[in-house]
Amino acid sequence: LFENPIAYQVYPNPTEKVLRIKKRSSDLPSIKEVILMDIQGRMIANYQPGNNTSEEIEIRLPDYLPPAYYLLRIEAENRYEFVKFFKTN
């Protein structure tokens, strides 16, 4: 069993331009920041949804990103998660 199951769903994966991040439960805290990183963990961009209380946010990926695997660090109140995704052409 997982002690800390994944709290946020990231889709579509793979994606071309847009990622959506959805809370798996309405009891989860709102997302405060999303950091886009390359697979080595170097920051590419960060997104701060502000006072977003919705169950889902949308992230537009920079056009200059080549096809590859990337990481998202999703931060909420007292937790964070890493999610790997693939960006296509």
Side-chain angles (χ1 to χ4, degrees):
L1 295 176
F2 296 104
E3 288 184 28
N4 295 315
I6 295 172
Y8 302 94
Q9 177 184 12
V10 176
Y11 66 95
N13 189 5
T15 189
E16 184 177 346
K17 295 182 185 212
V18 175
L19 279 171
R20 289 177 179 79
I21 303 170
K22 182 177 181 178
K23 296 193 293 185
R24 291 190 184 268
S25 167
S26 60
D27 296 338
L28 290 168
S30 296
I31 296 170
K32 294 193 183 244
E33 183 175 35
V34 177
I35 300 173
L36 172 63
M37 297 181 284
D38 66 16
I39 204 69
Q40 286 84 29
R42 294 179 293 232
M43 187 173 94
I44 296 169
N46 74 345
Y47 307 90
Q48 295 179 344
N51 293 328
N52 182 11
T53 58
S54 69
E55 300 292 311
E56 182 175 293
I57 63 170
E58 184 175 284
I59 301 291
R60 292 202 159 284
L61 300 175
D63 291 332
Y64 61 81
L65 286 182
Y69 282 102
Y70 294 93
L71 295 172
L72 288 180
R73 178 180 161 139
I74 303 166
E75 297 184 20
E77 285 180 19
N78 59 353
R79 68 181 302 154
Y80 64 88
E81 293 183 10
F82 288 93
V83 177
K84 184 168 82 170
F85 72 94
F86 188 79
K87 192 230 182 246
T88 61
N89 280 338

